Amino acid sequence: MTVASAQRSQSAESAQSALDRVPRQLYIDGRFVDAQSGKTFGVVDPGTGRELLQVAEGDAADVDRAVLASRRAFESGPWRDMTTIERSRLIWRLGDLIEENLDTFAILESLDVGKPLQVSLTGDIPFAAKWFHHMAGLATRMEGTTVTPSLPGRWQGMSLRQPVGVVGAIVPWNTPLIITAWKLAPALACGNTVVLKPAEETPLTALFFASLLEQAGLPDGVVNVVTGFGHTAGAAIAAHGGIDKVSFTGSTEIGKEIVKAATGNLKRVSLELGGKSANIVMPDADLELAIPGAATAVFANSGQICTAGTRLFVHSSIFDEVVSGVAEQARAINVGHSLDPDVTMGPVISERHRDRVVSYLESGFEDGAEAAAGGSARPDDGYFIEPTILTNVRPTMKVVREEIFGPVVVAQRFDTLAEVIAMANDTEYGLAAGVWTTNLHSAHRCIQELRAGSVYVNTFNVADPSLPFGGIGQSGWGREHGEGALEQYSETKSAVMYLG
Ligand code: NAI
Ligand code: MG
């Protein structure tokens, strides 16, 4: 046996044992149960196009059951009566359990999404754990204020924070465990209960996570997991009268559907949607940082990151140098299967999505764009797209305006800071934007004037539990993390007392 084939059979073996640890049923009220319809659906490895396993296909009837369990767990029982320190300790423990099962989580996430194993091992999984560890502290900080109402006589006023109730969490497929943690950790810290729906493409880590909840000591019904499709299970969550808040991450199109569905009981809605983020390289930038930085900004996770730096703006004086540098980075990327240790970029999520990205590339070429690197899909069984940089684009082209969600960046030139800020802001989206510069003035101008929820300086795609995150315009409603976390998952109540 050669070293390569030994490595392959070893990774096939560990892949199988990770898959064997995944429950294939819904998790409702502390038990794994079949969907009421008895239906199941297949989960595919996007790196081969082959089915990995079948999981339960939950729909509206199962969401009903999950909401009932969540409601009961919220209104009565150990979760409600727990001290804040006990709750905090439990959430911390969830972070520990993710770390203790790092290898299994990483293999599952890589098989499911297609991302290189190394990325899951050092990125996604530890990152998800970090959210539980950070947000654990939030459980003890559900604080309010005291105020003095301006009324005749003696009064005492106060505000207090209380949980929202039952939270519906709808998660996409690009970074499944991370976004699960982004929603679950603060929701639980604030004392809510949760019905979680992972994306139909990527249910594996959510199901494996569910299998650890009992071990963590989480009371039954506090977290329920319903795997299933968006138009059935997802839509039932968005419309459900027993859900008090829905937290959604996904496409702008479905975000709008959620808002409409939520009007029935006027549940609270937070939305983290698409983007077409600008990445600006100023003439004074440190190009040793900026060139690889611009490549990673868009090619990480095969371009399937909502904040990806997909519109690259380079000062005319360095345009050719930066474009050829990013093209060189693109060509050096080794595209392939997630479990191949030499691979640095995986496939996109599905056949449907690959075709969608390819149709964007075709529209770009029809409109006159040229590829400085990449430009097409690979004729493999998996859903691979070459890392692509498009030049000769105009601001009106579809490839410049719409979110492609693949490894495709469009490069445009500019001459002045004012001009590039206007170009960067010429978008319906407003999730993130970045600038590479060594000039303090340019950095601060960009921070102030770029119309986006997050601005990066000499870096890109940085998220942290301490930093509020969310978008402007078609990129969504509300902020997660940081000071946004309490805001998302608690209600402010005021109380006023007449003292005579
Ligand atoms: P999507 O928005 O349809 O799916 C995201 C989640 O929403 C999944 O869990 C899905 O089951 C659920 N969902 C779908 N329809 C629903 C409905 N009617 N009611 C409630 N939940 C529903 O995203 P999709 O179709 O997978 O990808 C399309 C595009 O969306 C991508 O090409 C990309 O541009 C964007 N996207 C953005 C993401 C982000 O992180 N902001 C993540 C995933 C996709
Ligand atoms: Mg969809």
Side-chain angles (χ1 to χ4, degrees), residues 150-344:
S150 176
L151 296 166
R154 293 196 182 138
W155 299 82
Q156 177 63 57
M158 68 182 86
S159 69
L160 43 149
R161 291 255 175 207
Q162 295 187 321
V164 177
V166 176
V167 171
I170 303 178
V171 170
W173 41 260
N174 52 342
T175 52
L177 192 67
I178 290 176
I179 296 178
T180 297
W182 285 5
K183 300 192 188 311
L184 249 53
L188 296 176
C190 292
N192 301 284
T193 57
V194 181
V195 177
L196 169 73
K197 196 199 83 63
E200 49 270 45
E201 294 85 354
T202 55
L204 300 184
T205 49
L207 289 171
F208 181 55
F209 180 75
S211 77
L212 304 173
L213 294 176
E214 197 178 327
Q215 191 183 337
L218 205 73
D220 291 348
V222 173
V223 171
N224 303 279
V225 181
V226 178
T227 48
F229 291 93
H231 62 276
T232 52
I237 289 172
H240 207 289
I243 291 182
D244 302 297
K245 188 237 153 85
V246 62
S247 172
F248 172 77
T249 301
S251 61
T252 296
E253 180 198 350
I254 299 300
K256 292 178 183 176
E257 292 293 316
I258 301 229
V259 169
K260 285 184 218 149
T263 56
N265 70 338
L266 280 184
K267 63 174 62 65
R268 289 175 52 181
V269 176
S270 58
L271 305 170
E272 199 271 280
L273 309 175
K276 191 76 182 177
S277 300
N279 191 10
I280 300 167
V281 186
M282 296 297 291
D284 51 63
D286 174 352
L287 295 188
E288 299 211 349
L289 272 183
I291 289 173
T296 310
V298 67
F299 299 136
N301 213 37
S302 307
Q304 305 166 122
I305 296 184
C306 48
T307 52
T310 49
R311 288 183 301 142
L312 181 62
F313 295 100
V314 186
H315 190 265
S316 296
S317 63
I318 51 170
F319 185 83
D320 292 340
E321 183 183 358
V322 171
V323 166
S324 69
V326 174
E328 203 178 305
Q329 298 269 331
R331 282 190 289 269
I333 291 172
N334 187 7
V335 181
H337 191 271
S338 58
L339 299 188
D340 178 338
D342 298 326
V343 157
T344 52

Side-chain angles (χ1 to χ4, degrees), residues 463-477:
D464 188 83
S466 67
L467 290 165
F469 175 68
I472 290 168
Q474 305 271 326
S475 292
W477 284 354

